[in-house]
Amino acid sequence: MLFCLPSCWEFLYLPWEIFLRLSGSSMSRRVRRRVVKKGKEKVGCPEIDENLSLNEKGMVDWTKLPDDTVLQLFSCLNYRDRASLSSTCRTWRTLGTSPCLWLALDLRPHKCDSVAAASLASRCKNLQKLRFRGPECANAIINLHAKGLREISADCCRKMTDATLSVLAARHEALECLQLGPDFCEKISSDAIKAVAICCPRLQKLRLSGLHEVGADAINALAKHCPNLTDIGFIDCRKVEETCLGNFASVRFLSVAGTTNINWNLVLQKWSKPPNLTGLDASRTDITPTVVSRFFSSLPSLKVLCALDCPELEEELDASFLSNNNNKGKVLLAAFTDILKEVATLFVDTPKNERNIFLDWRSSKIKDRKLDEILNWLEWIISSSLLRVSESNPHGLDKFWLNQGTALLLSCMQSAQEEVQERAAMALATFVVIDDESANIDTGRAEAVLRDGGIRILLNLAFSWREGLQAEAAKAIANLSVNSNVAKAVADEGGIRILANLARSVNRLVAEEAAGGLWNLSVGEEHKGTIAEAGAIKALVDLIFKWSRCTGGEGVLERAAGALANLAADDKCSMEVAAVDGVHGLVSLVRNCKVEGVQEQAARALANLAAHGDSNSNNAAVGQEAGALEALVQLTRSLHDGVRQEAAGALWNLSFDDRNREAIAAAGGVEALVVLARSCFNASDGLRERAAGALWGLSVSEANSIAIGREGGVPPLIGLAKSDVADVHETAAGALWNLAFNPCNAFSIVVEGGVPVLVHLCSSSTSKMARFMSALALSYMFDGRIDEIAQIGTSANSPSKSMTLDGARRLALKHIEAFFLTFTDPKAFFSAASSSAPAALNQVTECARIQEAGHLRCSGAEIGRFVGMLRNPCSVLKACAAFALLQFTIPGGRHSQHHVNLLQSAGAPRVLRAAAAATGATLEAKIFARIVLRNLEQHHIEPAVGRQSV
């Protein structure tokens, strides 16, 4: 069925703003806002007139409202809500079927089949205006039995056939207006046009788009059978028999915009009959200056000629063309003329503000019927032409868009014609976009919309009850909000709350565009809190649950998941996402949805939910959701790079939880991620970074580290470590550091040529973290533990694939020493060596500190290994171990207390004192050891904990 009829009020969303719109009705006298003070805040609340009935609970009894107020209320709702509201009581059911509420019907947002149409038939006996989408709906609306229908407007009619259009015309003989477009009607031929001409003799307006051919017989049939036909549009047609268009004695407005085959010289010879032709639209054609001039001179009645985006005209003419050719009273609308100024010349007596000419006309109390017809037609053809121009986005029109195109679109969005408003909003959403794939928009055009007050106009349209306007306005707001200044204006104007309300719409297109707007607005950190306060997070999660069960909702799901992904990056918002069951909704998408865009955004959302570490429990919650980890592992095998990237990123973040880490491995994560790392050398930087990062996270567990080495993970990580991109080789270095903790892996790194790669990173990387972790990996490899393995393994490898262990050790130790020496200041070291003053050690600490290292969290085994290195006879390894422990224990560090506890448990103070006093130790090792001892003293000692993750 088309409309859902709930049995109680709770299903109907009726904001107070709806009631506030009822100015001039009984409602405005009985219910109004008053403001009271609560502390220092002003609080808006409804003030109830004493004449309005209250029930026994003290609540307003809305069923006792006067009939005229109820009808006004109904008129502010969309058709679905009208039907829902009318189901609440018998009186309102009767009022809900009042003919005045059903003079116009827009079926585009709904799936309308014959059953739904039949259910509406009782309400539509007096229907005069109908809008629908697609040929399926065209076949169904015959069941409405609206024989008095005067106006039909349809889009998405590519598949509409001659038979459908002919039957439509035959069943509605009173038709006065027929519009199909703006998309192409490729299957409609001249035969259907002849049927329309014969069946609809009252036809006054006919506008068809994208026909292959309009033949002479069809045009002559219209001229013969439709004597009242005054407005004709054959737009974007491949072929029109242009000479026959001169046979219309009644035509006042003619559009052939975008029609490609017109022989203008032939037209000039034949078009002598239309005595009333007032407006001609030749936009996007090859019309020439000579033809324009002769039109104005040979057709006395012609007042307006629109020629937007006509290359031959624009190359040869300028704004002085009309005045130089004595064409007083004639208006040429082109990119090189001031269109609003030219339109203003149509007003003879009353002076007008040229920049707001259409607004002045709408508000004028003096009405001229003929002028009204011209201006209504101009709004329609200007909005239609600008929509087509914005879609093709030809070069050379930047100045036009900035100087007057934007103002024209904003003016059209305030038109009294709903179709004009929609097309102008569509054009606005399109003309700002440079690259749809990368979401780049033209900053100048976006700023022009902002400067001319376009955001308020768009929000007013989005606040309309008409769902077509809601969808197009929301889309324009979404695209414009890519610009940070526009996004701020949208938020300041209350646009976030409007979009949050639209996201609750049962109309798929409205919900989709509203979710897209919230997606773009949520990019900015400054708007996330406002979005959450507006209730948008729950609305977005609800969209996932609703549309994941329906076909055709992929666009809604992608945008909703994308918005939640942005919001989940904020700690507070991420907790709210989890609180409204967002984890379950997102996991259901990665498990069940097969659309790549949805998978990518859902995986990104889960990655961001899991990224907050110890600040909330979302990381564990995602891992505990049934099937989540298995689904993410499976997505790493996707053919789509974006999906693989976000899935790997989610696994990387989830691996920071001990239980998740082991569950990922149990779900085949080690094998899948090794395969991913092996296959992504030529992929994007983001994918390579996350593939290495996920292996880094998993390798914190020694069992997983061994499994990664066994699965062949060392060679691809060495390959990724060779990357010139800092983010990529940083994560690869982290993974190799963890792998090197195991002697077998360490030997594999040597054999696979990893030492020169790590040495290069240690000395040359722009990332301090990459240099630090490379040095630590090298120190793990050459602290003596792989010597026994090397004796067995070297004989099994060819000399070309490996290097001698002694040579590798010398190379590694040389660059380890060079690395930590870059963090020393000789003067500071000399001062610290000769003085025990805290200031001297502080100076060394500040010089040596690597800020990012504070995010590393070492296990007890790793801390024990560094303590063991302090006893190593190699002075370089001893100094490197002390340097590393300095980083991990600096007071104020994220995990410094944890590391201090582990050092106390490992008996490190005694070893550190020995290292600081050793006569054979280097000065660097002694000073670093002294600083670590001081760090231990400055921390409050807590009970030691077991092995933890990095």
Side-chain angles (χ1 to χ4, degrees), residues 526-726:
E526 64 274 22
H527 305 312
K528 287 183 169 67
T530 307
I531 292 172
E533 291 170 4
I537 291 178
K538 186 177 188 309
L540 291 165
V541 172
D542 288 345
L543 286 178
I544 289 176
F545 286 117
K546 176 179 180 179
W547 290 102
S548 60
R549 298 190 294 267
C550 305
T551 57
E554 294 82 4
V556 183
L557 295 174
E558 180 177 1
R559 287 161 176 77
L564 289 172
N566 288 347
L567 293 166
D570 176 83
D571 189 23
K572 291 183 179 179
C573 290
S574 73
M575 289 190 287
E576 184 167 346
V577 172
V580 295
D581 212 15
V583 172
H584 178 64
L586 292 165
V587 169
S588 71
L589 290 184
V590 299
R591 290 184 64 187
N592 303 319
C593 186
K594 304 303 179 184
V595 179
E596 292 170 342
V598 178
Q599 292 175 334
E600 180 179 357
Q601 296 308 322
R604 186 169 72 91
L606 292 175
N608 287 345
L609 281 172
H612 299 285
D614 300 330
S615 64
N616 63 52
S617 60
N618 287 344
N619 193 306
V622 173
Q624 291 165 11
E625 189 69 33
L629 301 180
E630 292 82 356
L632 289 168
V633 168
Q634 186 61 36
L635 289 185
T636 63
R637 301 184 175 96
S638 170
L639 298 177
H640 186 272
D641 278 4
V643 175
R644 293 192 292 165
Q645 174 177 311
E646 300 304 340
L651 292 171
W652 181 9
N653 289 344
L654 289 165
S655 67
F656 284 93
D657 179 87
D658 292 342
R659 289 171 295 178
N660 287 343
R661 188 185 311 120
E662 303 311 317
I664 291 169
V670 170
E671 299 89 337
L673 289 168
V674 168
V675 171
L676 179 61
R678 191 181 294 131
S679 64
C680 70
F681 289 115
N682 296 320
S684 66
D685 296 340
L687 175 54
R688 291 184 292 158
E689 176 198 6
R690 287 163 177 78
L695 287 172
W696 182 11
L698 285 184
S699 62
V700 169
S701 159
E702 188 168 6
N704 289 345
S705 176
I706 294 170
I708 291 170
R710 188 185 304 118
E711 290 293 327
V714 169
L717 284 169
I718 291 174
L720 292 172
K722 296 177 182 178
S723 170
D724 294 331
V725 179

Side-chain angles (χ1 to χ4, degrees), residues 18 497 807:
I18 291 293
R497 188 165 296 276

Side-chain angles (χ1 to χ4, degrees), residues 16-42:
W16 271 102
E17 292 87 341
I18 291 293
F19 299 104
L20 295 177
R21 294 184 190 178
L22 306 179
S23 58
S25 69
S26 300
M27 178 66 76
S28 65
R29 295 191 297 274
R30 293 170 183 257
V31 181
R32 60 187 183 274
R33 285 285 191 184
R34 68 184 176 89
V35 177
V36 298
K37 287 188 175 181
K38 185 178 181 181
K40 296 183 179 180
E41 298 181 358
K42 291 183 178 180

Side-chain angles (χ1 to χ4, degrees), residues 117-140:
S119 70
L120 288 170
S122 61
R123 297 184 176 105
C124 296
K125 293 178 181 178
N126 299 299
L127 188 65
Q128 295 183 8
K129 181 178 179 179
L130 176 66
R131 302 186 71 181
F132 66 87
R133 175 167 289 143
E136 297 84 2
C137 188
N139 291 323

Side-chain angles (χ1 to χ4, degrees), residues 72-261:
Q72 186 75 4
L73 174 60
F74 272 107
S75 69
C76 293
L77 301 175
N78 61 44
Y79 306 108
R80 183 187 285 103
D81 286 347
R82 288 181 192 177
S84 298
L85 190 57
S86 68
S87 71
T88 56
C89 66
R90 184 178 302 171
T91 301
W92 283 24
R93 184 178 296 113
T94 302
L95 291 174
T97 59
S98 299
C100 64
L101 296 175
W102 298 92
L103 296 176
L105 183 61
D106 186 355
L107 294 176
R108 292 176 302 162
H110 313 289
K111 182 179 180 181
C112 182
D113 54 21
S114 58
V115 176
S119 70
L120 288 170
S122 61
R123 297 184 176 105
C124 296
K125 293 178 181 178
N126 299 299
L127 188 65
Q128 295 183 8
K129 181 178 179 179
L130 176 66
R131 302 186 71 181
F132 66 87
R133 175 167 289 143
E136 297 84 2
C137 188
N139 291 323
I141 61 176
I142 296 171
N143 295 285
L144 292 175
H145 303 302
K147 295 183 178 180
L149 198 61
R150 295 181 182 179
E151 183 175 340
I152 290 178
S153 179
D155 55 32
C156 296
C157 295
R158 287 183 180 271
K159 296 182 180 180
M160 181 179 283
T161 62
D162 283 354
T164 299
L165 182 55
S166 298
V167 172
L168 205 60
R171 294 296 182 92
H172 303 99
E173 297 179 357
L175 206 60
E176 296 176 359
C177 174
L178 175 62
Q179 298 184 143
L180 303 180
D183 48 309
F184 290 7
C185 306
E186 298 172 337
K187 295 188 176 182
I188 294 176
S189 70
S190 294
D191 292 338
I193 298 174
K194 286 189 289 184
V196 170
I198 294 170
C199 295
C200 305
R202 300 181 189 178
L203 200 63
Q204 298 176 16
K205 184 185 298 181
L206 178 67
R207 295 168 178 166
L208 305 175
S209 296
L211 276 64
H212 278 287
E213 181 178 0
V214 183
D217 53 346
I219 296 174
N220 289 333
L222 289 169
K224 177 181 178 181
H225 297 286
C226 302
N228 300 320
L229 192 55
T230 59
D231 187 338
I232 300 175
F234 295 123
I235 303 163
D236 291 309
C237 298
R238 293 188 180 182
K239 183 178 181 182
V240 175
E241 188 58 48
E242 64 272 71
T243 57
C244 296
L245 291 173
N247 296 336
F248 287 98
S250 60
V251 68
R252 295 192 65 222
F253 303 103
L254 175 63
S255 176
V256 290
T259 298
T260 56
N261 76 311

Side-chain angles (χ1 to χ4, degrees), residues 755 759 778 782 807-817 876:
V755 171
V759 161
L778 290 170
F782 296 108
R809 181 182 289 108
R810 286 193 298 270
L811 180 65
L813 294 176
K814 174 183 175 182
H815 285 85
I816 292 171
E817 182 178 26
V876 172

